[in-house]
Each structure stands twice: as structure tokens, then as C-alpha cells.
Amino acid sequence: MAFLAWVTLLAPLIAAITLLVRPRLRGSSGGPKLAIFSVFICAATSLVFWLFRSETVTTSFEWMTVGDLTISIGLLVDNLSTLMLLVVGLVGSAIFVFARGYMKGDPSIGRFYAKFALFVFSMLGIVLADNFLMMFIFWELVGASSYLLIGYYFEKPSACDAAKKAFLTNRVADFGFLLGILMIWSLTGSFEFAKIADAVKDGDVSGPQWQLTLAGILIFVGAMGKSAQVPFHVWLPDAMEGPTPVSALMHAATMVAAGVFMIIRAFSCFDLGVGATALGGASMFIATTGGVTAFLAATIALVQRDIKKVLAYSTLSQLGYMVMALGAGAYSIAMFHLTTHAFFKGLLFLCAGSVIHGCHHEQDMFKMGGLRKKMPATFWCFTIGMFALMGLAPLAGFFSKDLIIDSLHQKHLVGLQIGATVTAALTALYMTRAWLLTFFGEYRGHATPHESPPVMTRPLKFLAFVSAVIGLVFYYGHGQDYLSAWHGKFAGPLHMDPTIAVVSTVAGVVGFLIALALYKKSHRGGEKIVARFPRLHSLLVEKYYIDDSYHWLVQNVQQVIARGCRWFEEAIVVGVLVGWPVGVTRWTGDRLRRMQSGRLAFYASCFVGGVTILILFLYTVAH
Amino acid sequence: MIGIFFWLFAALLTVSGLLAITRRNAVSAALWAAVSFIAIAGIFVLLQAYFLAVVEVLVYAGAIMVLFLFVIMLLNLREEDLQVLEGPRLHILGVLLAAGFLGGLVWTCRRAGLYDAKNGAIKMTAESVGETKSLAAPLFMEYVLPFEIASFLLLAAIVGAVLITKKRLT
Amino acid sequence: MTVGHLITLSGVLFTIGMVGVMSRRNILIVLLSVELMLNAVALAFVGFGAWRGNLDGQIMVFFAITVAAAEVAVGLAMVIALFRLRLTVDTDRVSLLKD
């Protein structure tokens, strides 16, 4: 089993390296096949883990020892990581296959697959890591490979900017993560999850409670970057500049889920038993952040024109749900939603990719329409994904989303519970709007839309099937025990309050009906509302001016500081501190250079003179 | 008797040495140097260093000077390549330095009492007779390691000389 | 003849060699001057050895002669290489490293 874990981790890396060092392989069709094969291996091994693993698999070796600090590289396969492996493996496989169709004809498809495989490797590293430090390394690798993939179309300035933005935003948040890791290390003396958990359980923490809370918040800040929570969410919509399969894999199914996964992994160390945690006030902060993100993102999604942007904001919103669940201490439910979301959001993104592909790379929904008849397979898959997202029973989202609202209810977080319910309505509204604009009415574009080839629709069908059944499987079947069984200490079996289910379903239906009323007849149905609330509309279009305020902040605060630093560097450091020695050295050098006459006789004379003086000195002084 | 020979050889050594460094023609410079080596060999004989005297004549006045002459003739220098001495300033500087050096040396020897007839007397004992047999014993016992190292040095010098003078390093 | 006289003679020869090194531009004569200096040192060794009444000085000279032979071989080889490269034995014309 341990060997299998290493295979899972290293297969994509080997594929990536092979693709990088064998340029000929990149041009041929063998390159993509190799990458796809490596991801299939991951999917297969994760299925083996899922079905046949009876206990936690651990394997590790020591990497380096510095003083008391021992850093090890180790893999940990428990219920949590198996579930995450399954998500990465299955969704990844579907997307890898899909990308072969989507990226067909791209001259550098080999480079694409190399980066893609590298990304999967980094992601698996996070999932399998058994200590914080290794997780952090792969965490940064995910950031780096996402930079590479978002900036895949590097000839486009906007793609480069988006890549930089994603990387830098993540870096800021990662700094919090690093600080959190170091803080935990100083508190418990270990990086390993198991040891940290033991230390916390035994109360063997060398610091007061507030420090532990602070460490929890710092780690959460790291997750806020990857999982795109307010105020670090700005990179995710821009990251849609990458190819659509990238958006599907990274910015819907796995990378953004890494933040949530990391929190679950990290916070399970702080769990003291059913419902209790050693983190104190951190949970409230987390839950609120999630709620704000969920609501803001859902409202922004209402006014987007780009189909991928709608899905991007929808992703933000759903991540907000997961984070709310984390805040409420319902880790298993957050993981459940993560799993279902990965499948249906991957599905939706791939459908969007299929639509974009069919419309010859048109992304504006207002230039689509009527695709229902031209792309039937895509349409049906999108419909399933949409209803799964909206939470229509018995599709996947119904269970996971209602369980999150239920967990908020149990913690008496009434405000968040209402917010989540309203957001459910908004979710239905913007998804239905996108659905109607894209697939109904008359075609408004200029291309000739066509259904995508089977290499693209087959993964869609696979994901649609999984999205349809996974909620049932988990709620009623095998997953039930599975989700509640980590470390044997997470809150008991999943069960849903029927009232809440009804309320949130009603909310969804209301959103659906409003969208239907507005957009059923014409794609211009929203204009009346816009005319009535112009300021609200511009507020949403401008994304609550968050990007602009960052821009202002950079322009007026950071730039001023930077200019000051530059002045300091040029005038003080270069001018005085460095300038003085430089001047003296240059002057002396100029004078001394003349001694280098190039005449051997002169050198010999100097030598003899020196020796003479030395001898005389020794004769006179030493005696 | 020894004193007379000493002064004779000393005068020969000084004159031939001076001539060796002032000759414009490298061939005559080398020949004068050979004469000075022979004078040194004479002084070695006076000091009972018979073996070294022979070696001095064989190796220096023989082998090394032949090598010098061989190279001089190989290069076949033209007359205008050979200036006698440097420009006057450096020339004077050199002589001054040399005079300072020599003066310091004499002064030190005087202070140490080396000119003193009793203190500075040279003891001609049986142990200090440098014949082949008496030199061979310490050379192959006490100094066997430096001896072997010297042989390696010579080997390296041979290989190095061949390598440097090869027309092109390939 | 005292040891002081020997050392002074050695010093005279050494100084002659030194002046040669300092003032000649023909690299062959510079090398020759170096040989003179080496011999001066050899003379000093033998002189001190005789003064002390043992053979150590002579042993030392034996090694010095060995080293001198090696030095001459390599030195002259370099002179030939230099002449082949620059067509000169004038030390003042070999000053590329100056710049």
C-alpha cells in the first residue's frame, strides 16, 4: 500500500519530466497520451485505496536534520486523503481526456500536458503529505504550476497579468500559512500532523490559548489564498484567462479545493472531540469569511457576461459554503461538499469549454443562445451540473449544501444560515440565467456552432453521471461511514433536517423561477432591472470595487513606500554607504594601477627592495 | 696557502660574475657564467666539498650551461634585440638596492662576529669532508624521502618542459 | 679565510645576480642571473656547513642543484615557447597582462 502511495504521487511527475526532457514526444500524440495515462494511474490507485484500504497507510523517510529539527518526507493515506485522491484522480482523468479534444491543434500541446501533469503532481503532494512542511512545499508548487498554466497563452498580455496576479495574491496568503506553520512548530515542536494532534490532545502546548488561535487563523489565511476567500478572491476570476480545462481542473475542482482540504487536515489536529476545538475564536472568523465570500461572489455572478466568469464566481461562492462549514466545525460536511462540488463544477466548466469550443472561442453568453439543439449532449450535461449546483434533489449539491446549512443551524449561526439560504437562491438565479442565455432562444453569434467530438463529450457524460449519483452514494451508502470516520472523532453520521432541506429547495426554486421569468422570452430580460437599479448594477459589475481599491492601495500606498525605499537605496545605500568605499577603492586603484608597468625588471626591483627592508628590519628590531 | 687560493677564486668569481651580467652577447655572458661556476667549484674544493665541486662542474658548468648555449643558439637572436642594460633610472635603483642589501649583510656578519678569527674560523674536521661515500650515507638514509621527492620533481620538470615546448597542445 | 669572508663573497655573487635580474631585459640573461644567485646560496650553505663542521650544508646544496636543474629545464622551455609566440626575449615586450 505504501508503494502504491508513492506510485500515485510520482506517476504524474515522471510524465511531466519525460515530456519536458523529450521534446519530440511533446509534438506527437504520444505526449498527451502519456500524461493521461499517468493520471489514470492515479485514479486507479485512488480507487484501490478507496475500495480495499482498511487502515491508515503511512510511509516516511527523514530528509534532513538541523539541530533538534527533523524534516521528513512522508505520505499519509487515510480516509480524508483517499477521498481527495479520488476527486483529483477521477476529475483529473476526465479533464485530461477532455483537454485532448479542446487543445487539439494547439502547437504546444505537449507543454500544456507537461504543466498539467506537474500540477497534478503538486496537488497530490498536498493531499498525501504527512507533515506541514512537505505540504507547504507542494502548496507552493501548486502555486507555481498554476502560474504556468494560467499564463499558458503567454503571448496574451492579459494572461500574463492574470498569472502574475494569481501568483502574487497567493504568495501574500502563503506567507500567512508559513507563519502559521512556524507558530505551530514553536508551540508543539513538530511539523507532523499526528504528533501535533497528540500534543494538542494532551495539552502539551508551550503557549497560551490565544497563540493557538492565532496559529489557526494564520493557517486559514493561507487557505484563503488558494481557496480564494474574500479578500484574496481577486485572482480567481482573472485566472479564467487560462485554457478552459485548466479552469476546470484548477480553479474549480482541485486547486481551490486544496485550501479547504488543507484546513480540514490542519484543523483535524486541533480537534478535541465532537464539536470542540482547540482553536477558540478562530472558527467564528472562518465562518464569517466564508459567508461573506459566498454571498458577494453569488451577487457578482449575477451580472457577468462571460460564461467562464459566471462559473468562476460560482466557484467562489461554493468555496464560501465550504469555509462556512469549516467555521461551524463540520469538517466532514465541508469535505463532502468539496467532493460533490469538484465533480459538478468540473462538469460545468467542461461544458463551458465544450460550448466555447463549439462557438469558436466565443465566451460572451450574449453572443450565444439556442445551443440546446446544436449541442444536445453538452446541453444535457450542463443541465445536470446546473441542477446539482442548485441543489435539486437528489443530485449531488442537494445533500452537501443542505448539510452545510444544517450545520450552521446546529451551531446557531442564524445570520450565516440566512445568508447561505439567500445565496442558494442567488445561485439558482445566476445559473439559470447562464443556462437560458446559452442554450435557449435564438443563436446570436456569428460562428456556426457544432457539437464537440466524442473525446470531449465522453468525459462530460462521465462527470454528469458521477454528479448525479455521488450525493446519494455518500448520503445513503458507503460514504456515510467514510466521511464520519476520520480519526474517529468527527461528528456522527450525516443526517439532514427536513425543514432546512425544504427551505433551501424552495429558495432554489424561487431563484430558478425568477430567472425563468426574466430570461425565458428574451436575453434582454435583465435590462429592466438594470435600469431600475443602475448603481447596484455598476457596483456588481465593478465587483464591489475591490479590485479598484487594491489598485488604489498599490498606487497610493505601496508605490509611495516603494518610492521612498528606492530613494533610500539610491541616495543612502548606493550614494553613501556603497559610494564611499567604491570611490576610495577606485581612486586607490587608479593610483596603484600605474605600478603595473608590465616591466619585469621593475617588479624584480620591488621584490628585492621589499626583501631588503624585511631583512634589515629583522636584523635591527629582532635582535 | 688556502687563503691565497681563496682570494684568487674570490676575485675570479666576482669578475666573471660581473662580466656575465654585463655582456651584450648572450653567448659570452653564458661563458663567463661558466667561469664563475668553475670558481665556485674551486672554493668548494677549498672547503673539502669535493663531491659538490665535481657536481658543480658537471651539472652547472657542463649540463646547464650547455643547455643555455643550446637555447641561445636555437633562438639565434639578432643584435638589436640585445640591449646591455636598462634605462638609467632603474639601473641606479637596482645598484642602490644591491648596495643596501650587501651593506646590511656585511654589517650583520660583523655584528655576529663572523669575521672574527676565532669565532668565524672554519673547522676542517674529518666529519665534514664531503666525499661521495660520506655524502651518500645520509642522503640514502636520513634524507631518503626528500631524495625520492627530488626525483619526482625532475620527472615533472622533464614532462613539463616537453609539454611547454611542443608546438601545439592537442 | 673566515666564515664571514665566505658569506660576504656569497653575498657579492648574490648581489651581482640580483642586479642582473633587476637590470637586464634579455630573459636569457635574467635566467642566467638567477643561476648565479642560486650558486651564491649554495656557496653560503657550504660555507656555513664547513663552519659548523658537518655535512648538512652540502646535502642541502645537493638538493638545491637538483631543483636548479629542474628550474632551468622548465625556464628555458618557457623561453622557447615565449619566443615562438612573440618572437622576442625582451621582458618589457611581454606585458599583455598589464592591460
Side-chain angles (χ1 to χ4, degrees):
Chain A
M1 280 286 177
F3 173 72
L4 218 52
W6 286 109
V7 169
T8 317
L9 178 64
L10 294 177
L13 178 68
I14 290 167
I17 290 176
T18 315
L19 278 171
L20 284 176
V21 300
R22 294 284 306 278
R24 277 175 58 204
L25 203 59
R26 267 185 269 164
S28 67
S29 68
K33 276 182 189 153
L34 179 70
I36 291 168
F37 178 65
S38 74
V39 181
F40 277 176
I41 291 178
C42 299
T45 50
S46 58
L47 274 173
V48 169
F49 282 135
W50 170 263
L51 296 173
F52 303 113
R53 189 183 54 83
S54 54
E55 61 206 354
T56 305
V57 178
T58 52
T59 162
S60 83
F61 64 89
E62 200 172 287
W63 184 26
M64 58 167 109
T65 304
V66 184
D68 298 339
L69 169 65
T70 303
I71 298 170
S72 59
I73 295 288
L75 304 185
L76 168 66
V77 186
D78 57 2
N79 286 11
L80 175 61
S81 40
T82 304
L83 193 54
M84 195 69 198
L85 277 184
L86 206 65
V87 169
V88 176
L90 291 181
V91 178
S93 302
I95 294 172
F96 266 59
V97 172
F98 177 87
R100 265 198 87 192
Y102 188 83
M103 302 299 288
K104 195 172 186 188
D106 190 301
S108 44
I109 188 165
R111 177 166 63 91
F112 175 79
Y113 268 103
K115 291 172 175 179
F116 228 28
L118 182 69
F119 169 77
V120 170
F121 163 69
S122 325
M123 188 66 208
L124 291 172
I126 293 184
V127 175
L128 290 168
D130 80 334
N131 62 68
F132 266 121
L133 215 63
M134 179 179 166
M135 189 185 237
F136 185 74
I137 292 168
F138 282 96
W139 186 262
E140 293 296 330
L141 262 176
V142 164
S145 45
S146 76
Y147 169 81
L148 292 173
L149 281 167
I150 297 168
Y152 175 73
Y153 295 124
F154 58 81
E155 64 275 15
K156 260 174 37 186
S158 59
C160 295
D161 288 346
K164 268 183 275 182
K165 188 173 180 179
F167 191 73
L168 290 176
T169 316
N170 269 306
R171 275 303 308 157
V172 174
D174 291 349
F175 192 62
F177 186 25
L178 185 61
L179 285 178
I181 290 176
L182 293 177
M183 207 160 162
I184 285 177
W185 179 67
S186 75
L187 287 172
T188 63
S190 178
F191 288 120
E192 279 168 51
F193 300 127
K195 286 184 186 161
I196 294 169
D198 288 345
V200 171
K201 202 192 288 166
D202 303 342
D204 187 14
V205 178
S206 60
Q209 169 62 37
W210 65 267
Q211 286 191 355
L212 210 56
T213 308
L214 182 63
I217 289 176
L218 283 171
I219 286 181
F220 175 64
V221 167
M224 283 165 81
K226 282 272 180 300
S227 284
Q229 296 298 296
V230 173
F232 292 111
H233 67 286
V234 288
W235 66 271
L236 197 137
D238 288 27
M240 297 301 136
E241 285 290 341
T244 308
V246 172
S247 311
L249 180 61
M250 310 176 67
H251 310 120
T254 60
M255 174 177 163
V256 291
V260 175
F261 172 84
M262 183 271 273
I263 288 294
I264 297 171
R265 176 64 94 201
F267 284 15
S268 58
C269 300
F270 302 121
D271 200 272
L272 295 176
V274 180
T277 164
L279 285 170
S283 346
M284 198 54 224
F285 170 68
I286 293 168
T288 316
T289 309
V292 169
T293 307
F295 183 75
L296 290 189
T299 51
I300 296 172
L302 290 174
V303 297
Q304 294 299 315
R305 295 171 67 96
D306 183 331
I307 185 167
K308 277 174 77 179
K309 286 274 171 78
V310 173
L311 294 176
Y313 281 105
S314 161
T315 302
L316 283 181
S317 177
Q318 296 303 309
L319 288 166
Y321 272 104
M322 294 175 214
V323 172
M324 270 193 277
L326 293 178
Y331 302 120
S332 48
I333 293 168
M335 191 62 206
F336 182 27
H337 195 53
L338 190 160
T339 311
T340 56
H341 172 258
F343 284 104
F344 63 67
K345 190 50 68 69
L347 168 65
L348 286 171
F349 260 106
L350 290 191
C351 289
S354 173
V355 166
I356 292 165
H357 186 74
C359 295
H360 301 272
H361 291 271
E362 178 58 69
Q363 301 196 2
D364 189 343
M365 293 187 296
F366 285 86
K367 294 184 180 148
M368 295 173 185
L371 298 177
R372 178 172 42 128
K373 301 216 176 65
K374 290 176 174 118
M375 308 176 75
T378 307
F379 167 71
W380 283 113
C381 292
F382 192 92
T383 309
I384 291 172
M386 178 188 90
F387 282 121
L389 173 60
M390 280 159 56
L392 186 78
L395 300 176
F398 169 75
F399 297 99
S400 51
K401 188 188 283 184
D402 289 351
L403 278 169
I404 288 175
I405 298 175
D406 186 57
S407 69
L408 293 170
H409 176 70
Q410 280 177 11
K411 288 277 173 178
H412 308 293
L413 299 165
V414 182
L416 287 175
Q417 189 192 344
I418 294 170
T421 313
V422 172
T423 306
L426 291 173
T427 307
L429 182 54
Y430 65 70
M431 279 317 294
T432 315
R433 169 175 172 268
W435 183 58
L436 290 170
L437 285 175
T438 308
F439 292 102
F440 289 82
E442 292 301 311
Y443 182 64
R444 299 179 292 274
H446 305 292
T448 45
H450 56 83
E451 181 60 282
S452 302
V455 68
M456 290 164 76
T457 51
R458 267 183 215 136
L460 292 184
K461 287 169 187 161
F462 166 71
L463 284 177
F465 171 73
V466 177
S467 301
V469 300
I470 192 166
L472 286 169
V473 168
F474 268 85
Y475 193 72
Y476 294 108
H478 178 54
Q480 175 79 340
D481 311 326
Y482 208 81
L483 279 169
S484 48
W486 305 318
H487 306 286
K489 57 188 176 184
F490 278 107
L494 308 171
H495 71 87
M496 215 187 305
D497 188 342
T499 328
I500 288 169
V502 168
V503 168
S504 68
T505 308
V506 167
V509 169
V510 167
F512 181 70
L513 290 176
I514 292 174
L516 219 55
L518 284 175
Y519 290 98
K520 180 73 185 113
K521 293 200 184 91
S522 155
H523 67 284
R524 313 175 74 121
E527 287 174 8
K528 278 176 286 178
I529 312 245
V530 172
R532 187 164 315 161
F533 304 106
R535 297 184 63 180
L536 182 64
H537 180 253
S538 60
L539 181 69
L540 295 180
V541 168
E542 297 297 333
K543 302 165 241 168
Y544 294 97
Y545 297 100
I546 290 173
D547 281 84
D548 298 85
S549 57
Y550 284 173
H551 194 244
W552 182 88
L553 210 64
V554 168
Q555 199 92 64
N556 291 295
V557 179
Q558 193 234 317
Q559 277 301 91
V560 169
I561 297 171
R563 237 174 267 138
C565 291
R566 181 179 156 194
W567 174 85
F568 180 80
E569 199 225 325
E570 281 180 355
I572 308 289
V573 177
V574 174
V576 179
L577 293 177
V578 179
W580 254 98
V582 165
V584 170
T585 312
R586 185 170 294 156
W587 185 85
T588 333
D590 265 356
R591 297 294 169 281
L592 285 178
R593 200 158 61 95
R594 297 191 190 154
M595 287 181 69
Q596 298 285 331
S597 59
R599 292 162 76 176
L600 189 64
F602 179 69
Y603 297 153
S605 304
C606 289
F607 173 67
V608 169
V611 170
T612 309
I613 290 166
L614 187 67
I615 289 172
L616 289 177
F617 173 79
L618 288 175
Y619 284 161
T620 50
V621 178
H623 270 278
Chain B
M1 187 67 187
I2 290 177
I4 295 167
F5 274 105
F6 172 74
W7 288 111
L8 208 70
F9 284 129
L12 181 64
L13 181 59
T14 315
V15 170
S16 61
L18 278 172
L19 286 170
I21 65 155
T22 48
R23 289 308 87 190
R24 173 186 292 249
N25 190 332
V27 175
S28 47
L31 288 174
W32 280 115
V35 172
S36 71
F37 294 148
I38 290 166
I40 287 178
I43 295 173
F44 282 174
V45 170
L46 295 183
L47 295 171
Q48 293 184 333
Y50 306 120
F51 178 74
L52 278 185
V54 174
V55 167
E56 181 81 15
V57 173
L58 282 180
V59 174
Y60 265 110
I64 290 180
M65 275 310 117
V66 166
L67 196 58
F68 257 99
L69 285 170
F70 176 73
V71 170
I72 290 164
M73 288 166 179
L74 182 77
L75 300 184
N76 193 19
L77 298 168
R78 287 161 301 166
E79 197 65 14
E80 63 263 29
D81 287 334
L82 306 169
Q83 274 94 11
V84 184
L85 288 170
E86 252 304 323
R89 265 170 65 195
L90 207 56
H91 178 40
I92 292 164
L93 177 71
V95 171
L96 280 178
L97 278 171
F101 179 83
L102 197 57
L105 190 71
V106 170
W107 180 70
T108 317
C109 285
R110 184 169 290 279
R111 267 192 59 161
L114 294 184
Y115 295 113
D116 190 52
K118 190 166 162 247
N119 189 26
I122 288 168
K123 308 170 192 69
M124 301 286 189
T125 59
E127 290 97 71
S128 69
V129 177
E131 286 176 324
T132 314
K133 196 174 171 185
S134 56
L135 271 178
L139 207 53
F140 287 102
M141 292 163 77
E142 210 175 336
Y143 296 99
V144 67
L145 184 67
F147 185 79
E148 291 302 324
I149 291 173
S151 70
F152 269 104
L153 181 73
L154 283 172
L155 179 67
I158 292 166
V159 175
V162 170
L163 204 69
I164 290 167
T165 44
K166 266 179 95 169
K167 272 221 169 78
R168 185 165 288 170
L169 296 173
T170 48
Chain C
M1 184 184 68
T2 63
V3 70
H5 291 96
L6 280 170
I7 301 308
T8 313
L9 180 64
S10 156
V12 167
L13 187 62
F14 191 84
T15 313
I16 289 170
M18 215 156 72
V19 172
V21 170
M22 284 190 289
S23 55
R24 291 304 297 255
R25 280 162 48 185
N26 186 337
I27 197 162
L28 282 163
I29 299 191
V30 170
L31 271 176
L32 207 63
S33 307
V34 171
E35 292 309 311
L36 288 183
M37 290 162 80
L38 269 167
N39 270 285
V41 173
L43 184 56
F45 268 125
V46 175
F48 274 123
W51 181 50
R52 307 288 295 177
N54 60 33
L55 283 173
D56 288 353
Q58 296 187 26
I59 301 272
M60 206 65 211
V61 171
F62 178 83
F63 286 118
I65 288 174
T66 318
V67 173
E71 177 247 26
V72 166
V74 176
L76 287 176
M78 284 168 75
V79 170
I80 290 173
L82 174 76
F83 188 78
R84 192 176 279 150
L85 200 67
R86 308 289 308 272
L87 283 177
T88 183
V89 289
D90 187 341
T91 53
D92 283 3
R93 288 194 213 153
V94 189
S95 57
L96 270 181
L97 272 179
K98 179 182 107 183
D99 305 313

